[in-house]
Amino acid sequence: MTNQKVKGRFAPTPSGFMHLGNIFCCLLAWLSAKAKNGSIVLRIEDLDTVRCPRKNADRLAADLEWLGLTWDEGAYTGNTSETFFQSKRFDIYKQYFEKLQAQKFVYPCFCSRNELHAVNAPHLSDGRLIYPGTCYRLSLTERLEKEKNRRPAYRLHVPDKDIIFTDGNYGPQTFNLAKENGDFIVRRSDGVYAYQLAVTVDDALMGITEVVRGWDLLSSSPLQIYLYSLLGFKTPSFTHIPLLVAPDGRRLAKRDHDKDLEILKQQYSSPEPIIGYLAYLAGQLNKPEPITAVDLLKIYNPSLIPTHNIVVPSQLPKLS
Ligand code: GLU
């Protein structure tokens, strides 16, 4: 039996400053790979080039370095750096999109957002709408007619099939593609390839063996597992980690500016108090105390990571 070397990844979307939630995710992905003597790839998820200017990615890479969250391959390393920016990989996504198209798994969808919300389609608990399959049922004549007026998005048709997998933190999962998601977009009407396709192709081609990311993406994993199977790729393992939330329960996000690394860096002159606080939130320390990522690795225990959302107080405790 060959023992494949573990390869994890940081896959940030550089749409602003890094905040505690992003760092939490990178820290746990780093610990998970490094604890198994594995390596880390840095991939910049800047598919949305307007929201993700290069200067944000530059700052993000510098911040990861400052935090001691090193990577072994990817953006900002060696002469292949540029190939780890999703904005530079459209030709690759096109190739795999065409592969799906050739197998007749994708079809053009002309529905606008407003039309979709007007129909009585079932909604999931998180408010997402299950696509009712309107354009899947169009005849060729109807398609050609609609094409005259609108550039379509492309959806992947999914079967009524259960995807079963075991999440590294949340345990066994069963997810029905048709009932719990429905046909999903793989290329947007503006020609940009969608997250699900890009991330699957990238993780596969970059040889990622384990995906560690926020709980909000747990429901994306079955879609990606399905794509892995259609494209003939080997599926990595998936581990989702709890979200950091504000005291009112909403997800910590860009608007919580006081949790931006830029502000935290002014408060603490070194990364250790920030790493220590996140380690405490991740169940790795009994109290928040300064520690480096490398020292944390020595005591890292993934079974202590909680599964519930983690509340971050509006006023962070004194950390050093
Ligand atoms: N780029 C996504 C984010 O920053 C993460 C995607 C993934 O890990 O699959 O939220």
Side-chain angles (χ1 to χ4, degrees):
M1 213 176 78
T2 54
N3 244 342
Q4 197 183 1
K5 195 158 159 34
V6 168
K7 205 193 252 194
R9 40 67 148 196
F10 299 151
T13 299
S15 56
F17 292 120
M18 284 231 273
H19 62 80
L20 271 187
N22 308 126
I23 307 168
F24 188 64
C25 199
C26 289
L27 174 63
L28 289 177
W30 186 89
L31 289 167
S32 176
K34 295 290 163 182
K36 302 177 200 107
N37 265 323
S39 61
I40 285 279
V41 172
L42 171 62
R43 178 174 71 241
I44 303 293
E45 302 220 319
D46 58 350
L47 279 174
D48 186 338
T49 49
V50 178
R51 275 179 63 235
C52 302
R54 183 57 76 103
K55 66 171 179 9
N56 287 3
D58 294 348
R59 192 173 45 215
L60 190 142
D63 284 345
L64 284 171
E65 232 168 287
W66 182 79
L67 288 159
L69 299 177
T70 49
W71 59 101
D72 307 277
E73 196 189 329
Y76 302 94
T77 54
N79 53 12
T80 53
S81 166
E82 286 298 300
T83 63
F84 290 87
F85 287 76
Q86 287 192 324
S87 57
K88 299 288 169 69
R89 299 174 61 80
F90 282 20
D91 287 348
I92 300 175
Y93 306 140
K94 181 169 183 279
Q95 206 182 313
Y96 287 93
F97 171 76
E98 285 171 356
K99 195 168 168 180
L100 294 173
Q101 218 174 14
Q103 292 168 289
K104 306 217 179 311
F105 290 126
V106 296
Y107 63 91
C109 174
F110 303 89
C111 297
S112 69
R113 205 176 283 263
N114 287 345
E115 280 162 359
L116 283 178
H117 282 278
V119 294
N120 218 355
H123 282 70
L124 299 170
S125 55
D126 62 5
R128 273 183 314 126
L129 180 113
I130 299 184
Y131 183 63
T134 321
C135 289
Y136 183 65
R137 292 186 293 269
L138 291 180
S139 67
L140 183 61
T141 331
E142 287 169 321
R143 270 185 199 175
L144 294 174
E145 192 52 39
K146 282 187 181 281
E147 246 160 40
K148 289 183 192 155
N149 303 317
R150 193 186 287 222
R151 238 183 113 180
Y154 284 83
R155 284 184 189 269
L156 182 86
H157 182 61
V158 296
D160 183 358
K161 176 185 159 118
D162 282 347
I163 298 285
I164 298 167
F165 66 104
T166 300
D167 182 88
N169 199 33
Y170 289 89
Q173 308 287 320
T174 303
F175 186 99
N176 185 283
L177 291 171
K179 296 196 185 78
E180 294 181 69
N181 192 84
D183 299 350
F184 61 93
I185 292 188
V186 283
R187 200 179 93 168
R188 298 182 346 199
S189 59
D190 59 5
V192 175
Y193 293 95
Y195 159 73
Q196 305 294 1
L197 179 68
V199 84
T200 303
V201 167
D202 287 348
D203 281 336
L205 296 185
M206 293 173 190
I208 302 303
T209 65
E210 61 168 43
V211 170
V212 177
R213 60 185 175 195
W215 176 84
D216 53 321
L217 290 168
L218 179 61
S219 59
S220 283
S221 295
L223 311 183
Q224 293 166 16
I225 291 171
Y226 183 57
L227 274 171
Y228 276 98
S229 70
L230 294 185
L231 294 171
F233 292 138
K234 190 167 183 292
T235 309
S237 68
F238 291 95
T239 295
H240 291 83
I241 54 165
L243 298 183
L244 300 189
V245 296
D248 62 4
R250 68 182 165 72
R251 189 178 171 189
L252 210 62
K254 308 261 186 274
R255 60 181 169 268
D256 299 287
H257 294 301
D258 54 334
K259 308 295 181 306
D260 277 348
L261 186 55
E262 239 26 46
I263 307 287
L264 297 172
K265 267 165 119 178
Q266 288 162 21
Q267 273 170 308
Y268 312 105
S269 50
S270 71
E272 287 83 358
I274 302 167
I275 297 286
Y277 182 55
L278 292 175
Y280 161 71
L281 295 181
Q284 307 297 309
L285 294 176
N286 291 331
K287 56 179 186 352
E289 55 192 3
I291 190 167
T292 63
V294 169
D295 283 340
L296 183 56
L297 195 52
K298 297 175 194 149
I299 55 161
Y300 169 66
N301 178 353
S303 68
L304 298 176
I305 300 173
T307 49
H308 53 78
N309 284 347
I310 301 169
V311 179
V312 178
S314 35
Q315 204 68 40
L316 292 188
K318 205 165 163 8
L319 299 179
S320 55

